[in-house]
Amino acid sequence: MMITEERINERGKSSLLYSMFCVWTFFVLCRPQDYFTSLAILRPILTLGIPTLLLYIFSTKNGEKISRNKQFRLYRYLILALLISVPFSYYRSASLKDVFYYASITTMFFLLFYQLVDTASRLRSLLFAYCLGVSIYALFILKYGNVYEDRISFGNMFDSNDIVFFVISFITFNFLFLGKDNKKYQRILVFLNILLCLVVILKTGSRGGLIACVTMFAYLFIFKTVTIKIPFIIKIALVLLAIITLQLFTIDTDRYKTITEIETDYNVTGEQGRLAIWQSGLRMFLSHPLTGIGMNRFSEGLGRDRQERGVVARWQTAHNSLVQIGAETGILGLIVFCLMSLNVFRITGQIKRKSRSKELIKVSEMTRAGFIGLFICAMFLSQAYSIYWAFYIILTAVLQNMFDKESEAVEKIA
């Protein structure tokens, strides 16, 4: 009787813990506090995160050995690179604060996601919830977003370019629920989600976002996948249907046409354009190759670089995640960031080739496609420390763990 009661209590705690984790991650990734501003006052990421972590600590006896996971080991080196940069930062106290916040949130996310999302069904349920959460956010963007020069933004969290990065991070996971093996309401919802996300992306006027979106969908429609297993002619028909649907919305296409006018683009010719900023970032990297200039100190470093060259000292962000992390953390941070990103492709490719689980293969396919879009976006944005980039690193760590367990089970049977 005592054993039965203990098991019931353990299951109850496990169920409560997982439910709290799901709610917490929804606030971390889908950010309902941005459109329900009264929630922001409660600081839900903090107030939900701390009790979730404490419940995990006091209710879990034997967790997964996360230290064996390659992505997690590299993640620790990234945190080390951030800490090394602090004493050499242009603003040490601010960088230390930023490192502490980033490390605490992402470490907790990594640990809990890795330990609690241990089945494909749990992973699918979470991904479906995230897809819905992003689409709800997209509806608020369209309804209440600020429009300036035909470009839409929303609140204080996301500008036009950040919106694309946010939306494109989850758009491919909708395809997991389009198949006939899913419920009808799911298929309808995710189809609407995809169209809604495309409308939002186009209304931002983000040229980098358009390039990322086109590349991502080209990958999905050219390469064969288990997830999107439909004839090429039907794929073309779906593209045409999407284009016709998008014509119902007011979208300024003139900005996108300037992609082909590179020679006159201020990003190429101007001091405040991105090429000039990237060149300054390279100078910062070469002047501080081992330590960097401190987390989130690129803008100040750019201002100082311009002052030294006798140029108007305007502070701007890096507009490129590789340039950003290279300048701010030095060679160690840059190498680790690149290795973790490459591991997304390595892990998803390994699972696609070797896994016997159809669900794992599908999630891996959409993870790879989504990361292609996200990474291209990151080449035009300062998102090196984004929770959405970290999400893909954590997701592939979980996928690797599931695949390893599957391989071990096959070996035992053999």
Side-chain angles (χ1 to χ4, degrees):
M1 185 67 180
M2 285 294 293
I3 296 175
T4 304
E5 288 179 357
E6 286 179 2
R7 287 181 177 175
I8 292 173
N9 289 334
E10 286 179 5
R11 288 176 183 174
K13 287 181 180 179
S14 176
S15 177
L16 175 61
L17 173 60
Y18 181 69
S19 298
M20 290 176 64
F21 167 76
C22 291
V23 174
W24 179 69
T25 59
F26 192 84
F27 276 95
V28 171
L29 295 176
C30 302
R31 301 194 59 83
Q33 63 271 33
D34 289 352
Y35 48 83
F36 293 133
T37 53
S38 58
L39 292 174
I41 301 173
L42 302 175
R43 302 183 68 184
I45 294 177
L46 179 65
T47 55
L48 290 172
I50 291 176
T52 302
L53 181 61
L54 290 175
L55 182 60
Y56 167 76
I57 292 171
F58 289 108
S59 65
T60 305
K61 294 180 179 179
N62 297 309
E64 296 284 347
K65 292 184 178 179
I66 192 172
S67 59
R68 295 187 301 183
N69 186 273
K70 188 172 184 179
Q71 290 289 62
F72 184 74
R73 291 201 303 269
L74 288 171
Y75 167 76
R76 291 187 301 184
Y77 288 126
L78 178 62
I79 300 301
L80 176 62
L82 290 172
L83 289 172
I84 290 173
S85 73
V86 170
F88 306 92
S89 171
Y90 287 145
Y91 191 176
R92 289 191 290 272
S93 61
S95 287
L96 180 60
K97 181 180 178 182
D98 291 341
V99 171
F100 175 78
Y101 179 79
Y102 173 77
S104 60
I105 295 297
T106 53
T107 301
M108 184 163 62
F109 199 161
F110 212 135
L111 175 66
L112 294 177
F113 204 102
Y114 192 85
Q115 300 290 355
L116 300 178
V117 185
D118 52 358
T119 64
S121 59
R122 279 191 170 185
L123 182 56
R124 277 175 56 88
S125 298
L126 275 176
L127 291 175
F128 184 71
Y130 298 155
C131 289
L132 290 183
V134 172
S135 295
I136 293 170
Y137 203 122
L139 284 172
F140 276 87
I141 291 172
L142 291 177
K143 180 67 176 177
Y144 301 106
N146 304 311
V147 179
Y148 178 72
E149 294 183 350
D150 295 318
R151 302 189 68 191
I152 198 167
S153 61
F154 185 80
N156 298 320
M157 184 64 188
F158 296 132
D159 66 13
S160 299
N161 296 316
D162 293 332
I163 285 173
V164 177
F165 188 80
F166 167 62
V167 171
I168 211 169
S169 298
F170 295 96
I171 192 170
T172 59
F173 295 119
N174 286 284
F175 288 101
L176 293 171
F177 309 96
L178 273 179
K180 293 181 180 180
D181 52 337
N182 296 284
K183 295 179 181 178
K184 187 175 181 180
Y185 81 90
Q186 287 181 317
R187 300 201 301 270
I188 294 172
L189 277 177
V190 295
F191 181 74
L192 294 175
N193 288 349
I194 294 169
L195 290 179
L196 179 61
C197 289
L198 287 175
V199 170
V200 169
I201 288 172
L202 292 175
K203 287 184 76 67
T204 63
S206 172
R207 292 173 294 182
L210 178 65
I211 293 171
C213 193
V214 169
T215 305
M216 181 181 71
F217 276 97
Y219 172 83
L220 286 174
F221 280 80
I222 292 173
F223 293 94
K224 291 183 179 180
T225 62
V226 175
T227 310
I228 308 176
K229 202 171 184 179
I230 55 179
F232 186 76
I233 189 66
I234 296 180
K235 291 181 179 180
I236 297 298
L238 289 173
V239 171
L240 293 175
L241 176 61
I243 292 173
I244 293 171
T245 304
L246 292 172
Q247 295 303 311
L248 301 175
F249 297 87
T250 304
I251 296 171
D252 180 23
T253 58
D254 290 337
R255 179 175 172 80
Y256 293 121
K257 294 176 183 177
T258 62
I259 292 176
T260 60
E261 301 170 359
I262 298 177
E263 65 279 358
T264 58
D265 195 305
Y266 81 96
N267 282 313
V268 175
T269 61
E271 169 60 34
Q272 296 175 7
R274 296 191 180 183
L275 281 183
I277 294 173
W278 297 344
Q279 289 169 358
S280 294
L282 179 59
R283 284 192 290 270
M284 292 181 228
F285 172 73
L286 293 176
S287 63
H288 301 78
L290 299 179
T291 63
I293 60 173
M295 184 177 182
N296 290 331
R297 303 279 74 82
F298 186 94
S299 296
E300 187 169 348
L302 180 60
R304 294 189 182 194
D305 177 72
R306 285 172 171 165
Q307 284 179 333
E308 291 173 0
R309 291 185 291 116
V311 181
V312 177
R314 182 176 178 182
W315 278 249
Q316 291 176 274
T317 58
H319 292 293
N320 183 292
S321 295
L322 291 180
V323 173
Q324 177 192 10
I325 200 161
E328 294 182 353
T329 67
I331 189 67
L332 175 60
L334 178 61
I335 290 175
V336 172
F337 182 88
C338 290
L339 286 175
M340 294 171 80
S341 297
L342 287 172
N343 274 340
V344 174
F345 294 99
R346 182 188 64 81
I347 292 168
T348 53
Q350 182 186 41
I351 293 173
K352 285 177 63 178
R353 292 191 308 272
K354 298 181 179 180
S355 178
R356 298 186 180 185
S357 169
K358 193 173 181 180
E359 290 303 322
L360 274 186
I361 292 173
K362 286 182 176 181
V363 175
S364 295
E365 289 175 341
M366 295 303 102
T367 299
R368 171 175 283 203
F371 192 72
I372 288 172
L374 176 137
F375 195 80
I376 293 175
C377 271
M379 293 303 96
F380 301 95
L381 297 173
S382 304
Q383 294 285 356
Y385 316 113
S386 168
I387 192 64
Y388 303 107
W389 175 81
F391 168 71
Y392 273 87
I393 303 306
I394 297 166
L395 176 58
T396 48
V398 170
L399 289 172
Q400 181 73 68
N401 186 41
M402 291 182 181
F403 174 69
D404 290 343
K405 287 182 177 179
E406 176 194 330
S407 300
E408 289 173 5
V410 171
E411 288 179 2
K412 287 181 180 179
I413 294 174

